[in-house]
Amino acid sequence: MTEIDNIFAAPLPKIADFVFDHDVAKVFPDMIKRSVPGYPTIIESIGLIAGHYAKPDSLIYDLGCSLGAATQSMRRHVRSSGCRILAVDNALAMTERCREYLTAQDSMVEELTPAEVMHADIIKLPLETCSVVVLNFTLQFIRPDQRLELLTRISKALIPGGVLILSEKLRFADGDTHKSLENLHYAFKRANGYSELEIAQKRSAIENVMLPDTLDTHFERLQQAGFQHSHTWFQCLNFCSIIAHT
Ligand code: GEK
């Protein structure tokens, strides 16, 4: 079902801003695994963390779900009775395929937590009371001036004891640290078979679309949004994941 990512393999006359269209959706599992250090570990661990914090009869959100990798992991790990997962994305190419993946999972595994897929913009989506929210590499695609408002709505929707799992690519205020980890990230991509041209063209396509923050900015913003305590639980090179507690 999944194909090899060669979207940026040939020289492009003009590099347009990156969009989550059908071409990307088709190769997405390969693209994200070869581009994000630690992605398989993060996905498996999101299931584990959600399983630990999900309360019985509660809602779990996967916001910016893409093809639902985090949702699939949570469906396997969440064992509290009466939970359901809502996986949301504003790219139709993603939500259509995400439904197919979840149906395939249903046919292969028994006793999964029920999940629904919704095509919606998470900036406009009213959030219901919930116990776990996942933003797995999604916030970095939200306009910076809209990030605090979104996180504030999430912290208000979460029940006491609920958590947000926030994974992001990081920027570093210290130039040397930033350069060193960025270079190692390129080494990671090279080791996964991406050429110099692919790396350079992808960087140009994504630089106006995906805007990473520093870890300090994340922690300050989470506090402002109403989270009591936040800490990282994972970092590999310049990619990290945070748990924010209500
Ligand atoms: C995973 N979480 O595999 N509303 C809804 N979705 C959005 C919005 C928005 N406003 N903006 C961006 N997205 C996934 C990976 S990918 C990360 C997440 C990456 C969606 C966008 O359509 C895309 O599917 C996703 O956020 C980001 O666990 O490609 O690096």
Side-chain angles (χ1 to χ4, degrees), residues 127-151:
L127 297 175
E128 290 172 41
T129 305
C130 52
S131 66
V132 175
V133 176
V134 173
L135 279 171
N136 198 38
F137 302 108
T138 302
L139 192 69
Q140 58 199 9
F141 290 99
I142 300 296
R143 265 181 29 207
D145 63 337
Q146 296 181 326
R147 292 178 188 179
L148 176 60
E149 206 258 311
L150 172 63
L151 293 176

Side-chain angles (χ1 to χ4, degrees), residues 20 28 32 39 43 64-66 69 89-91 94 120-122 136-138 140-142:
F20 292 97
F28 191 74
I32 195 150
Y39 179 77
I43 288 297
C65 61
S66 298
D89 206 289
N90 68 345
M94 290 295 189
D121 182 347
I122 60 173
N136 198 38
F137 302 108
T138 302
Q140 58 199 9
F141 290 99
I142 300 296

Side-chain angles (χ1 to χ4, degrees), residues 42-231:
I42 293 173
I43 288 297
E44 193 57 26
S45 306
I46 285 175
L48 189 88
I49 296 166
H52 184 76
Y53 286 103
K55 298 280 185 291
D57 302 313
S58 72
L59 179 61
I60 296 169
Y61 280 108
D62 181 3
L63 302 177
C65 61
S66 298
L67 300 181
T71 290
Q72 288 196 38
S73 175
M74 292 193 287
R75 296 186 80 193
R76 289 191 283 107
H77 282 276
V78 172
R79 283 289 148 260
S80 296
S81 63
C83 288
R84 67 187 176 96
I85 303 171
L86 191 54
V88 185
D89 206 289
N90 68 345
L92 206 53
M94 290 295 189
T95 50
E96 282 173 354
R97 271 185 172 245
C98 183
R99 280 195 195 96
E100 290 171 16
Y101 274 90
L102 295 186
T103 304
Q105 190 189 25
D106 273 323
S107 68
M108 284 186 293
V109 189
E110 286 175 11
E111 295 184 15
L112 293 166
T113 295
E116 269 172 64
V117 182
M118 182 189 270
H119 175 236
D121 182 347
I122 60 173
I123 292 300
K124 296 182 190 143
L125 180 74
L127 297 175
E128 290 172 41
T129 305
C130 52
S131 66
V132 175
V133 176
V134 173
L135 279 171
N136 198 38
F137 302 108
T138 302
L139 192 69
Q140 58 199 9
F141 290 99
I142 300 296
R143 265 181 29 207
D145 63 337
Q146 296 181 326
R147 292 178 188 179
L148 176 60
E149 206 258 311
L150 172 63
L151 293 176
T152 305
R153 286 195 300 111
I154 291 172
S155 90
K156 285 186 177 147
L158 281 165
I159 57 175
V163 291
L164 164 68
I165 306 166
L166 172 66
S167 311
E168 290 275 289
K169 185 177 186 186
L170 293 175
R171 190 167 64 75
F172 294 87
D174 172 67
D176 289 339
T177 309
H178 188 84
K179 202 77 238 145
S180 159
L181 292 174
E182 192 173 58
N183 285 337
L184 285 170
H185 180 225
Y186 297 146
F188 172 85
K189 293 186 87 166
R190 249 175 252 126
N192 285 329
Y194 283 120
S195 67
E196 297 305 326
L197 180 71
E198 282 177 295
I199 294 171
Q201 293 194 130
K202 173 76 179 277
R203 191 177 51 216
S204 304
I206 208 122
E207 67 190 356
N208 298 323
V209 179
M210 193 194 82
L211 303 167
D213 288 316
T214 64
L215 209 42
D216 283 348
T217 301
H218 282 298
F219 288 142
E220 278 163 28
R221 190 194 285 127
L222 287 164
Q223 197 180 23
Q224 261 184 293
F227 288 94
Q228 301 294 319
H229 178 68
S230 307
H231 58 88

